[in-house]
């Protein structure tokens, strides 16, 4: 059984790597399932036994990237954005992958999926930072949009420019810029705004 699991993982990884390489070469929108099959050197039926199409490959690739980070949840507002440093450290190790996904050839579907996943993580963390039985603040979705947009912009610049900044430095900048404002928005919910 373990041999089968390894073969499945190897095949899935080959297809996901083929997607990244194809995005770098052609851009996401121009990539076809045939491109992925040829680059991964697998048959069409093998491809469809693992994925439903190129968007499914994309979603699995992004979701696996996020899943590798674990699910740390903050206990207090001072611990908001716990996803940031682990994600930045992982991005630092996977620059080729992230550059392909976030770069200009990534395409709107790629960027939208990353924004969606990132927004989900941020929303969960901000809700966890509220005291028990506290309703979500009215501006929660706006705060999530701002935080996700800021993180995406910072991440994109860091990956595309190839700056020498460390993940810890990028995390510090992100947290410094956003934590006070988001904490103030959540404080309104605590005070029964």
């Amino acid at each position: 059984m373990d041999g089968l699991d390894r073969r499945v993982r190897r095949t899935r990884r080959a297809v996901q790597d083929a997607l990244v390489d194809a995005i770098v070469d052609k851009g996401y929108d121009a990539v076809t399932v045939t491109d992925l099959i040829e680059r991964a050197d697998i048959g069409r039926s093998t491809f469809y036994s693992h994925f439903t199409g190129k968007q499914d490959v994309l979603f699995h690739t992004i979701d696996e990237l996020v899943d590798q980070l674990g699910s740390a949840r903050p206990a207090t507002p001072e611990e908001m954005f716990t996803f940031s440093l682990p994600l930045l450290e992982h991005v630092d190790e996977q620059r080729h992958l992230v550059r392909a996904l976030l770069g200009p050839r990534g395409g709107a579907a790629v960027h939208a999926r990353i924004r969606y996943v990132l927004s989900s993580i941020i929303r969960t963390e901000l809700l966890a930072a509220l005291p028990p039985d506290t309703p979500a603040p009215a501006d929660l979705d706006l705060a999530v949009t701002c935080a996700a947009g800021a993180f995406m912009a910072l991440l994109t610049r860091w990956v595309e420019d190839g700056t020498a900044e460390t993940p810890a430095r990028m995390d510090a900048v992100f947290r410094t810029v956003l934590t006070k404002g988001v904490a103030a928005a959540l404080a309104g919910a605590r005070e029964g705004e």
Side-chain angles (χ1 to χ4, degrees):
M1 182 76 154
D2 190 30
L4 177 63
D5 290 344
R6 274 183 279 168
R7 280 195 308 258
V8 168
R9 283 193 307 268
R10 195 170 32 246
T11 299
R12 292 177 71 83
R13 176 58 42 216
V15 174
Q16 290 172 310
D17 290 346
L19 176 66
V20 171
D21 292 341
I23 290 172
V24 170
D25 290 346
K26 302 172 72 169
Y28 177 78
D29 293 334
V31 174
T32 65
V33 168
T34 300
D35 293 329
L36 301 180
I37 289 168
E38 290 173 359
R39 287 173 185 257
D41 194 24
I42 60 171
R44 188 168 292 277
S45 62
T46 300
F47 176 87
Y48 284 111
S49 70
H50 294 278
F51 301 100
T52 60
K54 77 173 187 177
Q55 186 173 13
D56 191 32
V57 178
L58 170 68
F59 287 4
H60 276 89
T61 302
I62 293 169
D63 292 347
E64 282 180 15
L65 181 67
V66 172
D67 288 346
Q68 292 172 3
L69 302 174
S71 57
R73 295 291 176 251
T76 67
E78 291 77 32
E79 295 177 299
M80 283 187 290
F81 308 123
T82 58
F83 75 90
S84 177
L85 183 58
L87 181 56
L88 289 164
E89 289 170 341
H90 192 67
V91 165
D92 197 36
E93 295 169 5
Q94 302 285 331
R95 283 200 182 218
H96 176 70
L97 167 64
V98 178
R99 184 175 287 130
L101 296 175
L102 288 177
R105 293 179 164 254
V110 176
H111 296 174
R113 181 61 179 189
I114 293 171
R115 229 178 351 268
Y116 169 79
V117 169
L118 190 57
S119 294
S120 296
I121 292 168
I122 292 169
R123 186 175 214 293
T124 300
E125 285 202 5
L126 294 182
L127 286 171
L130 294 172
D133 301 323
T134 302
D139 292 337
L140 178 67
D141 288 334
L142 294 175
V144 168
T145 299
C146 290
F151 191 82
M152 285 283 291
L154 191 67
L155 184 62
T156 301
R157 177 171 179 249
W158 185 47
V159 170
E160 285 182 354
D161 291 352
T163 62
E165 298 292 346
T166 65
R169 175 73 179 130
M170 299 303 284
D171 176 62
V173 168
F174 176 69
R175 287 171 180 259
T176 299
V177 170
L178 288 176
T179 300
K180 284 187 179 182
V182 172
L186 293 179
R190 282 187 203 89
E191 295 166 5
E193 200 174 289

